Amino acid sequence: MTRILRLVALAVTILALAGCAAPCDAYCDASANYIEFCLENGSQGDWQAANDRGGWTVWNVSEKAEYVETCKVDFASQLAAGNDVVESNCTDLANQYQENADRGFCVELP
């Protein structure tokens, strides 16, 4: 029995490390990567203004890791409250932010 539990725990760990994250966790990671990229490379007014206001402080955090953690906690509380629509929105937006960052587009602020 102990061996089976260890194998299950190992499988779960491998899946987590392989990027098998909840949709809103993926959103938080993708939007943080997008923000980081655009704070460094964005030339449009909104991104320049965000840099002028202190970068990450626009999102009430001091750095990327804090943004990701705050984002995940926020979505976890929404999902715990039974807001099922949030998950599909997270998936759509995560894909959008990932695509924008991959293409080097800095459009809107998340």
Side-chain angles (χ1 to χ4, degrees):
M1 183 67 170
T2 303
R3 185 173 184 197
I4 292 172
L5 289 174
R6 286 184 187 167
L7 288 174
V8 169
L10 178 62
V12 169
T13 301
I14 290 170
L15 287 174
L17 293 174
C20 189
C24 292
D25 287 356
Y27 164 81
C28 293
D29 294 331
S31 64
N33 291 336
Y34 172 74
I35 292 168
E36 181 178 55
F37 173 80
C38 291
L39 285 174
E40 294 172 6
N41 301 294
S43 59
Q44 292 182 336
D46 287 345
W47 289 104
Q48 289 176 343
N51 271 320
D52 292 344
R53 291 186 307 231
W56 288 101
T57 60
V58 170
W59 293 271
N60 298 316
V61 297
S62 60
E63 62 182 13
K64 180 180 176 179
E66 184 181 2
Y67 171 88
V68 171
E69 182 60 30
T70 301
C71 179
K72 289 179 180 181
V73 168
D74 178 50
F75 280 118
S77 68
Q78 290 182 50
L79 292 170
N83 191 343
D84 296 333
V85 175
V86 171
E87 274 193 62
S88 64
N89 288 337
C90 284
T91 299
D92 293 342
L93 288 171
N95 292 337
Q96 176 186 342
Y97 288 129
Q98 185 63 50
E99 184 176 320
N100 285 345
D102 288 347
R103 292 182 176 189
F105 295 151
C106 294
V107 195
E108 60 192 31
L109 298 168

